[in-house]
Amino acid sequence: MLKIKNVDTYYGNIQALKNISMDVREGEIITLIGANGAGKSTTLMTLCGVVPAAKGTIEFQGQDITGMPADQIAALGISQVPEGRRIFPYLTVMENLDMGTFLRKDKKSQIKKDLENVFELFPILADRKNQQGGTLSGGEQQMLAISRAIMTKPKLLLLDEPSLGLAPIITKRIFNIIKKINQEYKTTIFLVEQNANLALKVADRGYVMETGTITMTDSGDKLLANEAVKKAYLGM
Ligand code: ATP
């Protein structure tokens, strides 16, 4: 579904990504783990066109999207939940969700059905639908950010550190729902996480990133059992 080939990305003179190659197959959850500053967010921003790739190619469903503007990439069905959530704080929950449907051209009845599904996944959002986004708790805001992305009906959902700043119990709930979105909606998921333990448990495959380079890739289970991964990322 997605092929990243030999990509370099720079911020001015600083090279953040060094010749990275990754692929994402339709229907799977893949995760990219790594320490602070490794280049995980930059990878997501490069592939959705927010930061340009200086070298290499990115292909989505057979189409070359390297250098394509971010809005066109979004219209192809790639939706990102950025780090720090970035919901619209002064809009209500309902209005935030409506923003997710902006680019959709399908029937109103389908959009209504998707909204019902979102409220089934996150009943708390239905209870709070007239409340301003900024007044929600951190966990609820993460649920809203994920829901807004689901309302775009993405083929590929990019999640940047969904666990950031959340209590362990809420994080666990969010991860269960990520799995559910993948299984029930057949949405392919690219998950960036510092919480390697949870991420590798939920993912089919994982990539490990160190200072802008991919250093390892394997199934989630194998990476969880890998001694180097255990030592560096699982605190064992
Ligand atoms: P974190 O988990 O802390 O978000 P990360 O793995 O997502 O880390 P990135 O945010 O992609 O890492 O950062 C990769 C490198 O690029 C870091 O060295 C960072 O300091 C640098 N960087 C990120 N954004 C910018 C920017 N706007 N300008 C300059 N350098 C940047």
Side-chain angles (χ1 to χ4, degrees):
M1 180 179 234
L2 182 79
K3 276 197 173 87
I4 303 174
K5 252 193 244 162
N6 308 112
V7 164
D8 285 352
T9 298
Y10 290 83
Y11 295 106
N13 293 326
I14 302 166
Q15 185 170 8
L17 300 183
K18 299 169 190 156
N19 200 37
I20 70 155
S21 295
M22 303 174 72
D23 61 274
V24 183
R25 300 169 198 149
E26 190 155 358
E28 70 177 352
I29 302 183
I30 75 129
T31 188
L32 176 61
I33 60 167
N36 241 326
K40 304 181 299 300
S41 300
T42 304
T43 304
L44 288 192
M45 288 193 288
T46 304
L47 71 89
C48 64
V50 177
V51 180
K55 197 200 89 192
T57 55
I58 305 168
E59 247 180 47
F60 178 63
Q61 294 192 311
Q63 183 174 356
D64 187 354
I65 61 166
T66 327
M68 199 182 260
D71 59 328
Q72 280 179 33
I73 293 179
L76 291 176
I78 300 182
S79 187
Q80 189 189 6
V81 180
E83 186 175 334
R85 311 185 260 276
R86 299 204 217 132
I87 54 147
F88 300 105
Y90 298 111
L91 297 185
T92 64
V93 166
M94 202 55 220
E95 288 163 344
N96 267 280
L97 293 171
D98 282 343
M99 296 300 271
T101 64
F102 200 59
L103 286 170
R104 283 178 63 170
K105 295 184 181 74
D106 48 349
K107 285 194 190 124
K108 280 220 165 80
S109 58
Q110 184 57 47
I111 293 175
K112 193 165 165 261
K113 196 160 162 267
D114 290 337
L115 189 63
E116 282 163 12
N117 287 338
V118 157
F119 285 152
E120 209 178 294
L121 280 177
F122 299 111
I124 190 82
L125 295 183
D127 298 343
R128 306 233 187 288
K129 66 180 173 207
N130 298 317
Q131 197 169 315
Q132 280 189 344
T135 66
L136 300 176
S137 72
E140 289 161 0
Q141 288 190 23
Q142 185 60 266
M143 294 174 197
L144 179 56
I146 294 173
S147 299
R148 188 180 59 193
I150 293 176
M151 290 306 293
T152 69
K153 221 169 171 52
K155 293 176 184 140
L156 176 63
L157 179 61
L158 313 175
L159 298 167
D160 196 352
E161 304 257 7
S163 77
L164 197 75
L166 301 184
I169 187 160
I170 307 284
T171 299
K172 237 175 147 191
R173 265 182 59 201
I174 300 253
F175 272 70
N176 284 337
I177 286 173
I178 291 171
K179 189 100 200 165
K180 207 165 160 184
I181 293 167
N182 171 253
Q183 287 173 343
E184 289 182 14
Y185 301 168
K186 313 281 175 234
T187 310
T188 308
I189 293 177
F190 189 137
L191 170 67
V192 159
E193 255 300 335
Q194 272 195 53
N195 189 332
N197 187 32
L198 269 178
L200 291 173
K201 275 185 184 149
V202 86
D204 298 298
R205 291 187 305 120
Y207 288 86
V208 180
M209 183 168 246
E210 278 173 42
T211 55
T213 307
I214 300 288
T215 53
M216 237 187 283
T217 180
D218 214 327
S219 67
D221 293 343
K222 288 216 173 105
L223 287 174
L224 270 176
N226 180 291
E227 288 306 322
V229 172
K230 276 189 189 172
K231 212 167 144 207
Y233 304 106
L234 304 175
M236 290 180 193

